[in-house]
């Protein structure tokens, strides 16, 4: 790819705050019946009638949550939307609206923000959510993105973290660990580039891992899949901070124990081969790496026949009495206490 060494740079100051908002939001369409008023007033107006409303928000900060050395702004905009919609999916609800707030330093021209909002617009269309408001301000450190997602569900459909029972099965969607290894590949190539700026990385053999890191997808399909199987999870959470951390969240809030089986973890072949290349234990990465945005949930043991053999789901363990603790059962059938070693935003 040939980079334009003299890209157009339009100062944001030329537009002013309201001109910038109008410029960046002109491509957002309103598609939800519940959106009575979106961008353009002091507040958005929503009408959910007899539905319950679920709301989640996330903050993404440059240098903490993303590195623009290898994260394209378009992908960043897309991912920022996805990570919030994933939280709505984890409530067994349907995302309907988002708000978008950004803080930018003066090193970002208008064209950079256009690229960011192109990704946001693409995600909004892909997930059929309306962008109904937000805020823009300046930053002295870099780029900060805050997105709030709003969704709807009937009261009887909503799934919380605290409903697991000690006889429930533990289920996960998709595969796990790939996003973390994608990050390791990108970090390695960044270091190579810093030593030799003329080097061109060949990333074809890591394409799946890198996609899982740079352009994850929220599992909006799971709600429909489970409904078709006539299964309602007893508890649910999304895997953003690592499988071990999320299992512990479910167990603590449901007051149960858990046995997670190492040989049941769903791992992609590209993930396994890259772990071997990096000389990293695949199980350690799978249970502690974050940003997979798959869904982890528990189901009643009587629903086993409905879900067994389904390619969308893997049964990876079962809940137990709280007194048994939270354990990883190894391939050698040894129990090891599970510890939360996933992402902690406030750790030093």
């Amino acid at each position: 790819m040939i980079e334009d060494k003299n890209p157009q740079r339009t100062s944001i100051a030329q537009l002013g705050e309201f001109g910038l908002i109008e410029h960046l939001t002109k491509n957002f369409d309103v598609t939800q019946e519940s959106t009575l008023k979106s961008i353009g007033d002091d507040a958005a107006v929503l009408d959910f009638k007899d539905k319950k409303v679920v709301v989640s928000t996330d903050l993404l900060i440059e240098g903490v949550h993303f590195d623009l050395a290898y994260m394209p702004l378009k992908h960043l905009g897309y991912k920022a939307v996805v990570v919030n919609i994933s939280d709505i999916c984890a409530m067994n609800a349907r995302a309907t609206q988002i708000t978008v707030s950004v803080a930018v330093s003066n090193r970002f021209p208008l064209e950079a923000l256009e690229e960011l909002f192109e990704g946001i617009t693409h995600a909004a269309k892909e997930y059929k959510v309306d962008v109904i408001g937000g805020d823009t301000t300046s930053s002295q450190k870099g780029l900060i993105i805050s997105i709030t997602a709003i969704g709807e569900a009937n009261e009887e459909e909503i799934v919380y973290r605290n409903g697991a029972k000690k006889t429930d099965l533990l289920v996960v969607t998709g595969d796990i660990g790939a996003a973390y290894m994608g990050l390791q590949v990108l970090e390695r190539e960044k270091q190579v580039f810093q030593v030799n700026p003329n080097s061109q990385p060949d990333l074809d053999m890591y394409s799946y891992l890198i996609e899982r890191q740079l352009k994850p997808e929220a599992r909006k399909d799971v709600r429909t899949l489970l409904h078709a199987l006539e299964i309602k999870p007893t508890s649910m959470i999304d895997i953003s901070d690592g499988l071990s951390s999320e299992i512990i969240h479910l167990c603590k809030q449901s007051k149960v124990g858990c046995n997670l089986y190492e040989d049941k973890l769903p791992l992609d072949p590209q993930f396994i081969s890259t772990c071997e290349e990096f000389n990293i234990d695949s199980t350690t990465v799978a249970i502690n790496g974050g940003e997979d945005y798959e869904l982890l949930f528990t189901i009643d043991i009587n629903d086993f026949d409905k879900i067994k053999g389904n390619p969308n789901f893997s049964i990876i363990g079962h809940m137990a009495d709280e007194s048994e603790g939270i354990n990883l059962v190894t391939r050698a059938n040894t129990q090891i206490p599970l510890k939360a070693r996933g992402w902690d935003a406030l750790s030093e």
Side-chain angles (χ1 to χ4, degrees):
M1 183 184 296
I2 299 175
E3 183 181 357
D4 184 358
K5 299 298 183 182
N6 296 293
Q8 181 181 352
R9 292 180 61 86
T10 305
S11 170
I12 294 173
Q14 289 180 225
L15 284 80
E17 180 182 2
F18 296 110
L20 176 63
I21 293 170
E22 184 177 353
H23 180 85
L24 293 176
T25 61
K26 62 186 177 184
N27 294 322
F28 292 137
D29 299 321
V30 172
T31 62
Q32 297 291 333
E33 288 184 12
S34 52
T35 306
L36 299 186
K37 178 66 178 179
S38 60
I39 298 167
D41 218 303
D42 288 312
V45 181
L46 308 179
D47 178 12
F48 288 95
K49 297 183 173 67
D50 58 347
K51 299 279 188 179
K52 299 299 179 183
V53 179
V54 292
V55 181
S56 180
T57 191
D58 261 318
L59 196 62
L60 299 178
I61 299 174
E62 184 180 357
V64 177
H65 301 100
F66 59 88
D67 188 337
L68 292 177
Y70 47 72
M71 170 65 85
L73 284 165
K74 183 177 179 180
H75 285 71
L76 176 61
Y78 190 93
K79 183 174 181 177
V81 175
V82 164
V83 302
N84 283 274
I85 289 178
S86 181
D87 285 331
I88 303 299
C89 295
M91 300 296 293
N92 202 36
R94 183 176 70 90
T96 50
Q97 288 92 4
I98 59 172
T99 65
V100 180
S101 297
V102 295
V104 290
S105 68
N106 58 11
R107 88 173 200 268
F108 291 92
L110 175 63
E111 287 72 23
L113 281 183
E114 286 178 333
E115 190 177 339
L116 177 72
F117 270 73
E118 186 180 349
I120 293 171
T121 304
H122 181 53
K125 291 179 179 178
E126 180 70 24
Y127 287 90
K128 296 180 173 59
V129 295
D130 293 342
V131 182
I132 58 167
D135 193 18
T136 58
T137 190
S138 60
S139 163
Q140 296 195 353
K141 293 291 185 181
L143 178 61
I144 301 171
I145 308 169
S146 177
I147 290 184
T148 296
I150 301 162
E152 65 174 32
N154 294 323
E155 186 172 9
E156 65 273 13
E157 296 174 323
I158 297 175
V159 178
Y160 301 95
R161 296 180 182 181
N162 62 357
K165 305 184 300 296
K166 62 182 180 180
T167 56
D168 286 349
L169 300 176
L170 184 65
V171 184
V172 71
T173 63
D175 59 82
I176 54 177
Y180 179 86
M181 287 312 298
L183 179 62
Q184 301 315 299
V185 170
L186 291 167
E187 286 286 353
R188 182 183 66 181
E189 295 306 323
K190 175 186 174 182
Q191 292 173 12
V192 171
F193 178 79
Q194 288 173 340
V195 174
N196 180 14
N198 294 319
S199 66
Q200 291 295 319
D202 183 5
L203 301 176
D204 288 346
M205 64 186 295
Y206 309 109
S207 57
Y208 177 68
L209 307 182
I210 291 171
E211 182 178 3
R212 292 281 281 180
Q213 171 59 220
L214 297 185
K215 191 176 177 290
E217 299 292 351
R219 294 305 303 260
K220 65 176 181 176
D221 59 324
V222 169
R223 184 172 183 260
T224 304
L225 289 169
L226 291 174
H227 182 75
L229 294 170
E230 297 182 341
I231 294 175
K232 182 189 175 182
T234 53
S235 68
M236 188 185 291
I237 193 171
D238 79 329
I239 306 176
S240 56
D241 299 331
L243 181 67
S244 58
S245 297
E246 314 301 6
I247 289 175
I248 291 171
H249 283 315
L250 289 185
C251 288
K252 285 186 174 180
Q253 295 204 24
S254 296
K255 294 182 171 54
V256 294
C258 178
N259 286 316
L260 169 69
Y261 291 87
E262 182 181 21
D263 62 351
K264 300 297 184 184
L265 296 174
L267 309 179
D268 184 83
Q270 192 175 104
F271 164 77
I272 295 172
S273 63
T274 306
C275 284
E276 292 173 351
E277 179 189 345
F278 277 69
N279 196 27
I280 300 176
D281 179 65
S282 59
T283 298
T284 301
V285 174
I287 65 176
N288 296 316
E291 295 194 291
D292 288 310
Y293 299 106
E294 295 292 345
L295 295 180
L296 175 73
F297 58 94
T298 55
I299 61 171
D300 191 288
I301 194 169
N302 292 318
D303 287 330
F304 172 74
D305 286 337
K306 297 178 183 178
I307 207 169
K308 69 176 182 180
N310 191 304
N312 297 289
F313 308 112
S314 298
I315 300 172
I316 59 173
H318 62 83
M319 314 316 277
D321 191 271
E322 189 175 16
S323 63
E324 294 185 34
I326 307 168
N327 303 294
L328 171 69
V329 181
T330 69
R331 292 184 179 89
N333 204 32
T334 303
Q335 279 194 349
I336 301 173
L338 199 62
K339 298 186 182 300
R341 293 194 173 96
W343 167 255
D344 182 350
L346 300 181
S347 64
E348 294 182 1

